Amino acid sequence: MIEQNMTKKHQPELIHTASYSVLVERTSRKKTASLKVDEGEVTIIVPKLLEQEKIDEILADKHSWIVDKLAQYQAHSPSLAREYVSGEALPYLGRNYRLKVLTGDLAPTKLMNGRITVTVPEPSTQTHYIRRALVNWYKRHADKKIREKVRRYESLVGVETGVVRTKEFKSRWGSCTPYGDLEFNWVIVMAPNRVVDYVVIHELCHLLHHDHSPQFWKEVERVMPDYKENKEWLREFGHGLCV
């Protein structure tokens, strides 16, 4: 996917309060405003032409509710391993890239000169927006890379695929249907490139054998003779893949 510059007209809006920031999403599909707090991130979705004064009134009215939701999140969420500061290492297909956090209007996240660059208005207080930008970046690249790998390996396995999607799974790396539809956990692109290949081959082979029988593993080994090494890497280190 070609990353394009975001014009000022389409930049997301941020409203800053003393204790949190609010992301404003404007849409022509809504006639009323809605508010959500998800993983410590406050978002208000409003009609496209709703006046700023009305948005401020909604936020003021819901201030106590927002603070309560944020407190609940802080109390029940595990401490994040990442600090989301410049210089932090971010894995992608077996290589570590350095995070570079810039101050400015929200802009598309880019990989340039060996650094993954994220731009937010207030980096020191907006780690959730930095994380959101990184997640979106990983999802875009996972969708592209995994589709490429499916196209590469489906002929080697000897199958035809249907729809290929990337999404977020809680406890698995991929799934398939008898119709050839495949779904992959986008987080897998944080693993080494060969491990990603293994996950793709694994799901493609399930289109031939819908279980983990000896015949299934024999097919996996035919396409990837060193699959056991990649399977073991995933078993040992896969739980640590996170943004």
Side-chain angles (χ1 to χ4, degrees), residues 134-156:
L134 290 172
V135 167
N136 289 339
W137 183 87
Y138 273 109
K139 285 181 176 179
R140 291 198 308 272
H141 284 72
D143 191 69
K144 176 183 177 182
K145 288 296 181 181
I146 289 175
R147 287 175 188 273
E148 289 175 354
K149 291 178 182 297
V150 168
R151 288 195 296 269
R152 173 186 172 189
Y153 285 110
E154 62 182 353
S155 60
L156 294 175

Side-chain angles (χ1 to χ4, degrees), residues 15-65:
I15 297 175
H16 306 292
T17 73
S19 52
Y20 52 84
S21 297
V22 182
L23 181 66
V24 181
E25 292 185 359
R26 295 182 179 271
T27 175
S28 58
R29 296 186 297 236
K30 288 182 66 69
K31 294 184 178 179
T32 58
S34 61
L35 189 64
K36 65 178 181 179
V37 179
D38 185 27
E39 293 189 344
E41 183 177 286
V42 185
T43 305
I44 185 168
I45 306 169
V46 300
K48 190 173 183 179
L49 300 179
L50 188 66
E51 300 88 348
Q52 184 64 46
E53 182 180 352
K54 293 292 186 182
I55 297 175
D56 293 339
E57 289 177 2
I58 295 170
L59 295 176
D61 183 59
K62 293 292 186 179
H63 175 73
S64 296
W65 179 83

